[in-house]
Amino acid sequence: MTGRGRRRSTQRGAPPPPPAAAALAPASAPRSRRCRLALPRAPDMARAQGARRLLAAAALLGFLQVSSSFEVKDQSGKICIIADMTVAFSVEYKSNGQKEFAHFFLPQNATVGSQSSCGKGNTSHPLLVLDFGAGHSLSLNFSEQADKYQVEELVFHYNLSDATLFHNSTAGVKRVSHRTIIQAYMGTKYRCISSKQVNMKNVNVTFSNVTLEAYLTNGTFSMNKTECAEDMISTTAVVPTTPKQTTSQVPTTTSPVPTVSPSNPAVGKYNVTGPNGTCVLAYMGLQLNITYPKKDEKMGLDVLNFVPHNTTSSGRCNNTSAVLNLTFEKTRVIFHFALNATAEKFFLQGVNVSTTLPSEAKVPRFEASNNSMSELRATVGNSYKCSAEENLQVTDKALVNVFNVQIQVFKIDGDKFGAVEECQLDENNMLIPIIVGAALAGLVLIVLIAYLIGRKRSHAGYQTI
């Protein structure tokens, strides 16, 4: 069973740049695109001025996003999967022994791979495989459970031998995967306008402007939709006036609702002491976001900012693992850290969340856990630092957001942080001013050249009397 990709795309800006020239922007920033422009050949100043206006318009369009649409069909030609989305990649790799990063987008000319399938009953599940570039592919493996379908596993294969993206690297094809990032009710399309980052080993994949649906019955998107938790938080949350838990109702219509985004939590200092001294040292602001069903069958949203001076910390540690336990009022968040002895790196392996929901909740007690994470990674003896907000997805209903985090696990000298390893989001934020500045400088140069050419040719049309 072979799937086929649609050539149609949802145009939100200029075509994407060659992969080597792309830079991954943060979640809220527009993405830069490079445009090819032909200089005018007209000898008069009017056309030169028109060229300058065209250049300026193209430059503005170049910062808008582009998403691509793909579909999978069965042998009879019936569509079973449609996916419309923008996907950005950031990959860490070694070049001549030095750490480098490659930033690129899923191109519009990506194709639906031959491995794509609509599935066959209980023997196989729907699969969307997108092939692009020199041996790269992104796979979404779907499954269904009761009244929901989900992306059970996201798999990314990337070829480090592709010199256009990975300079001076010949390490071959790598595979990384992540489980359950997307879930929706059967008979509805999954919709997520917000950026949703998936962190895997040495790879960050960021989805945005996503509309997809599997197990289609009528060959097109359903009218009803399941919104992601990030969109609910950004469009329906109400700012808590006190540090206590607050709730807001998720509207069932798509009409705009004037709201204010939740305030960022205060940064607290937490630590865990083991037999050999401090084994966990953390600075961070902590926010918990829970979506839950209410007694009236509507959805509610609970947003809780941890208040540092009212939060108690505890934990334990040994040579290969550490636990940081934070409790605020009736809410507890437990961070499980692990050691990769081979790579000499520590990382966040799991998060457990438990809290008491408001009385309107159908089930008053909420618990969730995810023990297959690989976040907040840094070399032992160094500290991990990220000024940008990071979203740790526990389940599709629970998000733990950390702000201005700096953390170090194991091998802490005198209760002080070691050398800093910046997160990918912060490094991307540093790239944006450089990219924008370079683009503007290039635009000014092109406009100047166009002006000089137009002026020279306009004077050439006159004769001295």
Side-chain angles (χ1 to χ4, degrees), residues 348-427:
L348 178 64
Q349 185 178 50
V351 175
N352 296 72
V353 173
S354 60
T355 188
T356 299
L357 297 173
S359 58
E360 64 183 5
K362 182 182 293 186
V363 179
R365 189 67 182 167
F366 180 89
E367 295 183 354
S369 63
N370 183 350
N371 295 311
S372 59
M373 305 172 74
S374 182
E375 321 292 345
L376 313 183
R377 178 184 294 265
T379 304
V380 174
N382 293 349
S383 63
Y384 174 92
K385 186 176 182 180
C386 196
S387 299
E389 175 187 351
E390 290 196 84
N391 307 123
L392 307 177
Q393 182 155 4
V394 184
T395 67
D396 63 316
K397 303 297 183 187
L399 280 174
V400 174
N401 301 326
V402 291
F403 299 76
N404 298 305
V405 62
Q406 184 171 9
I407 192 164
Q408 185 168 344
V409 185
F410 312 117
K411 199 176 179 180
I412 299 172
D413 185 14
D415 292 338
K416 295 182 179 180
F417 288 115
V420 170
E421 294 186 18
E422 297 282 352
C423 68
Q424 188 61 56
L425 290 172
D426 284 357
E427 293 186 3

Side-chain angles (χ1 to χ4, degrees), residues 11 13-17 33-35 66 108:
Q11 186 75 19
R33 293 284 190 266
R34 187 172 62 188
C35 304
V66 175
Q108 282 188 290

